[in-house]
Amino acid sequence: MGDRSAFFYVLYRVCYGSSTPTPFQRSLLTIRPAILHDYCRHKVRGYDYPAIIPSPEDCVRGTYVRGLTDGDIFRLDIFEGPEYERRKVKIRVLDVEGNEDGEGNVEGEEVEMETYVWVGGENALEEGEWDFGEFRREKMHRWIGRREEYDGESVKRRHAWIKANSL
């Protein structure tokens, strides 16, 4: 079992190559809902996925994952690409998970861990906050569906756009 931890959204597809890991693979990780304060998330222009950037007074709900290996972090680094930077942050684990708007959240322990922060330029981000509910309803199947449904095309397009625009 690894001793690394991270705060993010996409997990099993990147770390294990499947959105349905084996029970053994699931047993290696501890996954809990969490809040990252003083950040907000925006949709990356032209893509399904978000980017987080520092933003006082805002917060991002995500997932706190313990038990990641150095190999898992390596795969996440590759997946996120050069427009994200892995940084140490402090999150609050949720003892009680409220609704999508955060109403009813009960924050617990503060934990230092790593997350991927957007460094690809704010001009590549859309105005307003990325909507996880919309993503879950309309786009998530592209990211966690069966292997044959996911070919990484959105990620390839993202890296090509970044290279073409010298971000």
Side-chain angles (χ1 to χ4, degrees):
M1 181 171 176
D3 62 354
R4 307 286 298 269
S5 60
F7 177 87
F8 56 90
Y9 298 92
V10 178
L11 173 63
Y12 294 127
R13 167 69 68 193
V14 175
C15 291
Y16 302 129
S18 169
S19 61
T20 55
T22 67
F24 173 74
Q25 289 169 324
R26 283 182 185 270
S27 75
L28 298 175
L29 303 176
T30 301
I31 302 171
R32 302 211 26 221
I35 296 287
L36 173 61
H37 288 280
D38 297 323
Y39 282 81
C40 67
R41 61 187 171 198
H42 294 270
K43 185 177 178 188
V44 176
R45 195 175 309 281
Y47 297 97
D48 297 340
Y49 50 83
I52 65 169
I53 57 173
S55 180
E57 306 298 319
D58 286 316
C59 64
V60 174
R61 185 165 151 184
T63 305
Y64 166 56
V65 181
R66 280 188 338 193
L68 295 166
T69 65
D70 289 342
D72 296 331
I73 297 296
F74 175 76
R75 285 183 288 282
L76 286 164
D77 287 347
I78 291 170
F79 176 80
E80 296 297 351
E83 65 276 8
Y84 291 88
E85 178 179 273
R86 185 167 26 97
R87 295 184 185 169
K88 288 193 182 282
V89 295
K90 291 183 180 179
I91 56 100
R92 290 273 182 183
V93 177
L94 290 180
D95 289 338
V96 175
E97 189 174 4
N99 66 22
E100 284 187 17
D101 295 325
E103 296 170 9
N105 285 345
V106 176
E107 296 181 17
E109 171 186 19
E110 182 177 74
V111 179
E112 183 177 87
M113 36 67 65
E114 297 175 309
T115 195
Y116 293 88
V117 177
W118 180 259
V119 294
E122 290 191 27
N123 62 324
L125 303 177
E126 293 184 3
E127 295 282 326
E129 186 167 350
W130 179 76
D131 186 335
F132 180 67
E134 176 186 329
F135 173 78
R136 187 175 49 221
R137 286 186 309 275
E138 299 175 16
K139 312 283 185 169
M140 187 178 275
H141 68 277
R142 297 180 189 172
W143 295 86
I144 64 169
R146 294 187 324 261
R147 186 180 231 359
E148 57 271 14
E149 293 174 344
Y150 176 80
D151 63 4
E153 200 55 43
S154 185
V155 174
K156 291 175 193 173
R157 284 190 4 237
R158 173 184 69 178
H159 289 289
W161 186 89
I162 296 290
K163 186 176 181 180
N165 290 282
S166 301
L167 295 178

